[in-house]
Amino acid sequence: MSQLGSQLAILYLKLAGGVLLGWVLGRILPPSVPTRLGLFLFWIGVPLSVIAFLRQAELSATIWMAPVVAWVAIGSGAGLAALWMKIEARSRPLDPLASDKPFQGSFLLSSMLGNTGYLGYPITLSLVGEKYFAWAMFYDLLGSLLGSYGLGAVLAARLGCRTKIPVSWFRPLIENPTLWSFFFGLGFRQIPLPPLAERIFHNIAWGTVALALVLMGMRLSQMDSWQNWRPASASLTIKMLVVPLTLGMLLPLFGIKGAPHLALVVQMAMPPAFATLVLAETYDLDRQLAVTSLFLGSTGLLLTLPLWIVLFQ
């Protein structure tokens, strides 16, 4: 077996094993279990893993390009999604979805926001290792997270059934412990720890990655609506193919090459984030489209991931 084949086999075994275990557990365990696991990861697991991985990461001045790339990808996805909807409205004027604002909101969010945390973290770690993992973290925390609960919340409020943006729309950002642990970890990484404590910290971080995959499988097992596959396929083409391929070819022109290059492309190519479903439910957008995009994108990643490894590794 070739080196690429071996790498993919190991990666898929980790991904499929964790997600499949979560899918089975999600079918047999009470619905409250994924909620409790999600709360544990949100408040404890992921923040600790961010601090631990930052201790092993290599930081350079160019790493601040990661959130810039994230925002360019988010903006590109939104722009291409708006263009698709405009073309669709002209070619199919009788289609009620063409003028349906909740549909437009879910389509925009699915085209611009990626699952760069729970899914992007383990994949990027497997491909580039801890040394370059900070590129994925900067992309996620200063790009995807702010884009989801900042710009994403504003768009969802404007296109949803609610006519006003709640005063507390920014609370998910302020109260997100992962964002705070990120800034804490940047300073804490310089403080030496005993070897045993470092190993324990490291093992907790990798355990969190495994639990994140299990949680994703649990959440996928609870989805029960797969309609609107045609517009979902269009949004996924924008999100998971057009944007990462185009920007991935341009990044070397700005000096981003090697492992950081692959890390950013992989983050750009992640399927829609679970935040799209959260926002769709909060602001009464098209939930069916959000669910369909999540499912198709998560399964389609197994087909698109080898493309990015071959092109940009």
Side-chain angles (χ1 to χ4, degrees), residues 211-293:
L211 286 176
L213 290 174
V214 173
L215 176 61
M216 183 173 177
M218 286 182 169
R219 286 176 170 171
L220 287 175
S221 72
Q222 296 175 339
M223 295 181 180
D224 55 4
S225 177
W226 317 115
Q227 300 181 26
N228 292 333
W229 64 269
R230 183 178 175 275
S233 299
S235 70
L236 295 176
T237 299
I238 294 171
K239 173 70 189 66
M240 300 178 64
L241 287 174
V242 177
V243 171
L245 181 61
T246 304
L247 297 184
M249 291 188 295
L250 295 175
L251 287 180
L253 300 178
F254 298 91
I256 301 176
K257 301 177 181 179
H261 186 195
L262 179 61
L264 294 182
V265 170
V266 168
Q267 287 290 69
M268 284 189 282
M270 285 297 104
F274 277 102
T276 60
L277 182 56
V278 173
L279 292 172
E281 292 177 338
T282 302
Y283 295 99
D284 296 326
L285 299 178
D286 192 325
R287 184 180 181 274
Q288 291 184 347
L289 176 59
V291 170
T292 305
S293 298

Side-chain angles (χ1 to χ4, degrees), residues 6-160:
S6 301
Q7 186 180 20
L8 283 174
I10 294 173
L11 176 58
Y12 281 8
L13 184 61
K14 293 177 182 178
L15 292 175
V19 174
L20 182 60
L21 175 61
W23 181 282
V24 174
L25 293 176
R27 290 290 183 177
I28 61 178
L29 294 177
S32 61
V33 174
T35 301
R36 292 176 180 175
L37 177 57
L39 288 174
F40 168 78
L41 290 176
F42 181 78
W43 289 107
I44 300 174
V46 175
L48 284 178
S49 68
V50 167
I51 296 173
F53 286 131
L54 272 175
R55 295 182 64 82
Q56 310 296 326
E58 180 182 277
L59 302 183
S60 62
T62 56
I63 201 172
W64 291 102
M65 284 292 294
V68 175
V69 172
W71 280 101
V72 172
I74 290 172
S76 300
L80 290 173
L83 178 61
W84 183 88
M85 289 188 294
K86 190 173 184 180
I87 295 175
E88 191 76 357
R90 289 182 177 179
S91 61
R92 304 177 67 180
L94 299 181
D95 189 342
L97 292 180
S99 58
D100 185 65
K101 287 190 175 182
F103 166 83
Q104 294 172 358
S106 289
F107 189 86
L108 277 170
L109 296 180
S110 298
S111 303
M112 56 189 273
L113 304 177
N115 190 347
T116 54
Y118 287 134
L119 189 56
Y121 279 6
I123 292 178
T124 307
L125 275 167
S126 298
L127 292 177
V128 303
E130 296 177 32
K131 183 178 180 181
Y132 298 102
F133 179 59
W135 286 81
M137 270 192 284
F138 274 66
Y139 185 104
D140 174 58
L141 297 175
L142 300 182
S144 298
L145 179 62
L146 298 178
S148 297
Y149 295 107
L151 176 61
V154 172
L155 289 175
R158 291 195 63 179
L159 295 172

